[in-house]
Amino acid sequence: MNRSIAMRGLGTLVFCAGMGGCASVAPVPYSEMASSAFLAPDKSDASGRVPYRYSTPVDWRAYNKVILDPVVVYRGKDHQFGDMSDKDKATLAAYMQNCFADRLRSRFALARERGPNTLRVRLTLTGAVTNTPVLGTLSRFDMAGAVYNGVQAARDGEGMMTGSVIYGVEIFDATSSRLLSAYVTKQYPAAYDIKATTGALAAATAGLDKGADALMAQLN
């Protein structure tokens, strides 16, 4: 990297640090999700990863099978994909389908038909942000970026110029179709996960991994 590019990168990093890490997308209760009318601000979530939630008392251990619907790529006007290409959206949706299926089968038998003791999970990909090429990685080593990312790491916040993924989860009783739980979540990698800064979609896929783990923590 030549000196002029490095200096421009440093200037960008300093500016972003002063502005709170550059623009950060905040999820909304997406109007065209079926559970939208039920979602309410989740005041118990200090992390900000799950800003909207609907929940009912459920004994998750009563369920041992799950139907995982094909991931839906959200098309509503309030989507948060920016100018992301349809190809990248499809790539994320395919990764999401496989990622969540792998986690769910560690606890449930994957089913295709409704029946007793069966959950139905619907995932809606509503938004995503790609990594900023080069500068996203550079910010982990530049002094200004290190300060900002260090603070973010301590509070489990987003790293500078790192991508993220936003999606909705709706969980139904498969027999009755009763909505048991729903939430909108924003997921992203740890601020110092260098590997997650090196590809356009690397942070978003890392976020999906974390999100799948979080869902399993709820269902266990």
Side-chain angles (χ1 to χ4, degrees):
M1 182 181 293
N2 65 43
R3 182 178 177 82
S4 63
I5 293 175
M7 291 304 294
R8 286 198 300 271
L10 177 60
T12 300
L13 292 174
V14 172
F15 174 77
C16 287
M19 295 299 291
C22 297
S24 179
V25 177
V28 298
Y30 302 94
S31 59
E32 294 186 24
M33 274 182 55
S35 63
S36 176
F38 296 92
L39 295 172
D42 185 358
K43 297 180 181 179
S44 67
D45 179 58
S47 71
R49 287 182 183 266
V50 187
Y52 300 98
R53 184 184 293 275
Y54 168 79
S55 60
T56 59
V58 182
D59 178 10
W60 299 113
R61 301 304 301 181
Y63 295 90
N64 55 26
K65 296 187 289 293
V66 64
I67 299 168
L68 178 61
D69 288 353
V71 171
V72 175
V73 176
Y74 187 72
R75 304 293 182 184
K77 292 182 179 179
D78 51 351
H79 73 79
Q80 293 181 303
F81 291 108
D83 59 357
M84 178 173 282
S85 69
D86 287 341
K87 180 180 178 181
D88 281 351
K89 294 174 193 175
T91 297
L92 285 179
Y95 185 91
M96 188 178 193
Q97 187 79 34
N98 292 331
C99 172
F100 278 74
D102 285 345
R103 300 300 199 285
L104 287 167
R105 66 166 54 96
S106 70
R107 155 81 169 78
F108 301 93
L110 295 184
R112 294 185 178 182
E113 297 181 356
R114 295 189 299 173
N117 311 115
T118 304
L119 294 172
R120 177 181 162 218
V121 175
R122 181 165 60 205
L123 305 172
T124 304
L125 184 63
T126 58
V129 176
T130 58
N131 284 328
T132 301
V134 182
L135 292 180
T137 303
L138 178 63
S139 70
R140 271 62 183 173
F141 303 100
D142 171 84
M143 182 173 293
V147 171
Y148 178 83
N149 287 314
V151 171
Q152 291 298 87
R155 64 183 188 181
D156 192 29
E158 291 181 75
M160 182 183 292
M161 288 179 283
T162 304
S164 59
V165 63
I166 306 173
Y167 58 91
V169 177
E170 296 165 306
I171 307 172
F172 305 86
D173 179 280
T175 302
S176 66
S177 296
R178 182 169 70 94
L179 181 64
L180 304 175
S181 177
Y183 59 91
V184 169
T185 183
K186 179 178 183 178
Q187 295 288 346
Y188 42 83
Y192 269 104
D193 184 346
I194 305 299
K195 182 179 179 181
T197 69
T198 56
L201 299 178
T205 55
L208 289 172
D209 288 333
K210 295 187 76 167
D213 290 338
L215 174 61
M216 293 311 300
Q218 174 182 335
L219 298 179
N220 281 322

